[in-house]
Amino acid sequence: MRLRILGLVGATVLLVLVAFAVPLAVLVRTVAIDTALSTATAQAQSLTPLVATADRTTMEPTVALADDRNAGDVSVILADGTVFGAPAPRSDLVELGLRGVSASTEAPGGREMVFSVQGAAAGNSVIRVFVPDAELTRGVARSWLLLAGLSLVMLAGGLLLADRLARSLVDATTDLSGVSERLARGDLAARADPDAPAELGVVARALNGLAGRISELLREERENVADLAHRVRTPLTALRLEAEALRDPEESARISAGVDGVQRAVTGAIEQARRRGGEGRAADAAAVVRERVAFWQVLAEDTDRAVTLDLAEGPLPVGCAPADLEACVDALLGNVFAHTPDGTAFGVELSGRPTGGARLVVYDTGSGLPPGTDPISRGVSGGGSTGLGLDIARRTAESAGGRLTLSGPPGLRVVLELGGPQH
């Protein structure tokens, strides 16, 4: 953008300078020629009375003096061929002057001017003035150099002003781009310079207003989610009391553990809703996956499901919060129990990535995905559920710099790539 503005201004200034400088240069040369010819004409006219009336004795020193004072050649040619002053050839133009005709013409090395003097007793005489090219163009080169220097100064000044203008526009545009990228990364405190030039200032103020409105909406959404999650605590407390009242200690402990898990999920939802993006975004994938797999193994035994585990030893740091990773693992394992019949085997694999982070694989031996469905789309489910499980896993993977891929049938294989923590 900056180079384009400089090019446009430079071309415009150059065209304007050419439009004025070229005619002015031609005018300077024309004026110089006219001045030289006018001086020569005045010199010849001053000699005309002398040539017409004086004798040869007086004429010779006067013409010689005029020739010395003139930058060109001044000659007087009488009817009998006598020449006073500078030597002069008897050219066609001189012959024409002897016949009573004054004229001028271009000659090699300059311009020849002939003035016919009539009325003398001895016949017509001729005053010849030869103006050399150097005299015709005296001062023209210097004027042209001055004009060229002035043009360059004006061009440089125009480019300097254009550069300052372009720099201000480019800096303002770059600032807007940087603020937009920061907002896209979740930095809602980013603001553009409202004093940016021209329309960019309007865009900056609009972008700041949009960022402020987004911040308000997100704050309201966080509070609504936190309030909703907090309301769940009351029935959970009642459920815990009922679990503790069971006579079977094992059954009571199992149900209490489930209630504790739900309680942790609710607490995590409140904390996640109220914390800002980027806070607490680091978890040990090995520890979290082991803990959640141990929880679901109890239910797997109750439903006669064979479980195959291949979990790498930790730590395996990943770039997401522990609560988010727990919800992700629960969503993937919960889908296995929700969408496959009892007795369907499944497996969990966890390994590190060469570039940092972890790779989690959850697979089962069920019937796979229903045809024609997109289970990753939020709210879409082929099994009558909310359709949020795989979307939660996808968003967790993307927030950690990874991705989610599905394959099958036979069965369903979910591969979750998680990037390392961002420092």
Side-chain angles (χ1 to χ4, degrees):
M1 179 178 179
R2 181 180 174 188
L3 293 178
R4 290 182 179 180
I5 294 177
L6 288 176
L8 176 62
V9 172
T12 303
V13 173
L14 190 60
L15 288 175
V16 172
L17 290 176
V18 169
F20 283 95
V22 172
L24 187 58
V26 174
L27 178 62
V28 167
R29 186 175 184 275
T30 302
V31 169
I33 293 175
D34 290 343
T35 300
L37 295 180
S38 298
T39 301
T41 301
Q43 184 67 43
Q45 289 175 348
S46 66
L47 294 176
T48 299
L50 176 66
V51 174
T53 60
D55 57 13
R56 298 188 179 190
T57 304
T58 307
M59 188 183 306
E60 183 175 2
T62 303
V63 175
L65 180 61
D67 180 54
D68 292 339
R69 292 179 177 180
N70 198 288
D73 295 336
V74 179
S75 307
V76 173
I77 305 171
L78 302 179
D80 59 2
T82 303
V83 179
F84 297 124
R90 198 175 181 90
S91 62
D92 294 339
L93 197 64
V94 172
E95 294 291 342
L96 190 63
L98 292 174
R99 296 174 186 173
V101 178
S102 299
S104 66
T105 187
E106 297 288 339
R111 189 175 186 90
E112 182 180 12
M113 304 176 67
V114 171
F115 301 91
S116 178
V117 180
Q118 302 176 18
N124 296 337
S125 300
V126 172
I127 301 174
R128 177 184 179 273
V129 180
F130 180 80
V131 183
D133 289 334
E135 187 65 21
L136 291 173
T137 58
R138 180 185 296 275
V140 173
R142 182 176 60 185
S143 299
W144 283 2
L145 288 175
L146 181 61
L147 186 60
L150 183 61
S151 300
L152 290 177
V153 170
M154 294 179 64
L155 179 59
L159 291 177
L160 180 61
L161 292 176
D163 181 67
R164 296 190 63 178
L165 174 62
R167 186 186 297 274
S168 64
L169 293 176
V170 170
D171 290 345
T173 305
T174 303
D175 178 66
L176 284 176
S177 177
V179 170
S180 300
E181 292 177 357
R182 289 171 60 188
L183 290 174
R185 292 194 299 265
D187 183 7
L188 299 181
R191 292 294 184 271
D193 182 10
D195 297 328
E199 289 77 7
L200 293 178
V202 178
V203 177
R205 289 189 288 274
L207 184 61
N208 292 341
L210 178 61
R213 182 55 181 162
I214 292 175
S215 299
E216 294 177 2
L217 293 176
L218 287 178
R219 183 167 55 253
E220 294 176 2
E221 181 182 1
R222 291 190 185 105
E223 293 303 323
N224 290 335
V225 172
D227 292 343
L228 181 61
H230 190 272
R231 296 175 187 176
V232 182
R233 285 184 169 179
T234 300
L236 285 177
T237 302
L239 185 59
R240 174 185 290 278
L241 295 176
E242 292 183 5
E244 293 176 351
L246 294 175
R247 296 181 178 180
D248 187 350
E250 294 183 359
E251 188 71 14
S252 175
R254 187 176 66 83
I255 296 178
S256 296
V259 173
D260 290 340
V262 177
Q263 186 75 30
R264 287 194 303 271
V266 171
T267 302
I270 296 175
E271 293 175 350
Q272 181 181 7
R274 286 183 169 171
R275 72 171 179 253
R276 296 181 178 179
E279 296 180 358
R281 300 190 65 81
D284 181 4
V288 172
V289 172
R290 285 184 183 278
E291 190 271 333
R292 300 317 300 159
V293 167
F295 172 82
W296 287 97
Q297 272 188 302
V298 178
L299 184 59
E301 293 176 358
D302 293 342
T303 54
D304 298 326
R305 298 175 184 269
V307 182
T308 302
L309 300 178
D310 184 9
L311 307 179
E313 296 294 333
L316 291 177
V318 294
C320 62
D324 294 340
L325 185 56
E326 289 179 2
C328 176
V329 176
D330 286 342
L332 295 180
L333 294 178
N335 279 342
V336 175
F337 287 87
H339 301 297
T340 61
D342 292 350
T344 303
F346 69 93
V348 181
E349 298 176 357
L350 179 66
S351 59
R353 300 172 65 199
T355 57
R359 181 174 185 268
L360 175 65
V361 180
V362 177
Y363 60 91
D364 60 65
T365 59
S367 57
L369 295 173
T373 61
D374 182 12
I376 300 182
S377 298
R378 188 171 180 83
V380 177
S381 173
S385 64
T386 61
L388 300 180
L390 289 178
D391 181 68
I392 291 174
R394 177 188 61 80
R395 289 189 292 115
T396 300
E398 292 178 352
S399 67
R403 61 176 182 170
L404 174 72
T405 56
L406 306 177
S407 61
L412 176 63
R413 183 181 179 88
V414 182
V415 179
L416 189 71
E417 300 280 349
L418 299 171
Q422 297 180 358
H423 300 288

